[in-house]
Amino acid sequence: MAESGKRWWILGFFGEYRHNMDTKGRLSIPSKMRNQCGSLVYVTRGNEGCLNVYNEEGWNAYYQGLAQLSQRKKEARKFLRLVQSKTHDIEFDKTGRINIPADLRSLAGLEKECVIIGVGDHMEIWNQQKWESYYEENDADFDELSEMLEEE
């Protein structure tokens, strides 16, 4: 693995950034995050109504997990179809933007105001109102979640 790949695993993606998406679906990715991505990213549906964005190493790790799912189980097949059908590999343009396809914009309710957050091994793109609601609803649980997760 290249030195930059090692750096990605050490640093990961973190922070919260607010950017506006233009009418063609182009969204600027913050340079701190973009520098960990190479020339393209993999964008797919995430949980709670956001999009997940992976660099190549992150996507390969995620995909390895998907490959372990048993194709004999109906729920696994359903999940694989829902994820794989909504995954796109997207190159950065010369100004550091990605062009989010219409199907993914619709899925996540992205219009103009977006929030990009880092969650360790990947980024998430949220509709700004959805993110603010999600954060407000869950922020009070921070201490409890911290304690609960520490026990595992």
Side-chain angles (χ1 to χ4, degrees), residues 92-126:
F92 287 96
D93 69 13
K94 58 187 171 189
T95 63
R97 300 176 301 184
I98 57 172
N99 191 342
I100 301 171
D103 63 330
L104 292 179
R105 291 194 314 262
S106 176
L107 190 68
L110 301 178
E111 294 173 6
K112 183 176 181 176
E113 297 173 328
C114 297
V115 179
I116 303 163
I117 64 168
V119 287
D121 67 340
H122 68 283
M123 297 172 261
E124 292 178 346
I125 301 174
W126 289 78

Side-chain angles (χ1 to χ4, degrees), residues 20-144:
N20 287 335
M21 184 173 55
D22 71 15
T23 57
K24 295 181 181 178
R26 296 176 297 200
L27 181 66
S28 180
I29 301 299
S31 62
K32 285 183 179 184
M33 294 179 166
R34 191 173 62 244
N35 291 339
Q36 298 181 60
C37 294
S39 62
L40 66 86
V41 290
Y42 295 84
V43 183
T44 191
R45 68 185 307 160
N47 297 90
E48 289 81 43
C50 70
L51 298 179
N52 288 350
V53 182
Y54 295 92
N55 64 9
E56 189 169 359
E57 293 90 349
W59 175 253
N60 287 337
Y62 181 71
Y63 191 79
Q64 290 293 325
L66 293 178
Q68 300 302 313
L69 296 175
S70 173
Q71 295 270 344
R72 287 184 241 154
K73 293 187 176 183
K74 183 178 181 178
E75 290 78 16
R77 290 191 308 270
K78 187 186 306 183
F79 182 76
L80 288 168
R81 288 175 185 134
L82 292 171
V83 170
Q84 299 284 54
S85 67
K86 297 298 180 189
T87 300
H88 298 269
D89 58 333
I90 303 172
E91 291 187 10
F92 287 96
D93 69 13
K94 58 187 171 189
T95 63
R97 300 176 301 184
I98 57 172
N99 191 342
I100 301 171
D103 63 330
L104 292 179
R105 291 194 314 262
S106 176
L107 190 68
L110 301 178
E111 294 173 6
K112 183 176 181 176
E113 297 173 328
C114 297
V115 179
I116 303 163
I117 64 168
V119 287
D121 67 340
H122 68 283
M123 297 172 261
E124 292 178 346
I125 301 174
W126 289 78
N127 166 293
Q128 183 175 314
Q129 289 179 328
K130 266 193 208 177
W131 168 248
E132 289 171 355
S133 294
Y134 178 85
Y135 194 89
E136 274 183 39
E137 290 171 17
N138 294 286
D139 186 44
D141 297 334
F142 180 81
D143 290 337
E144 182 181 329

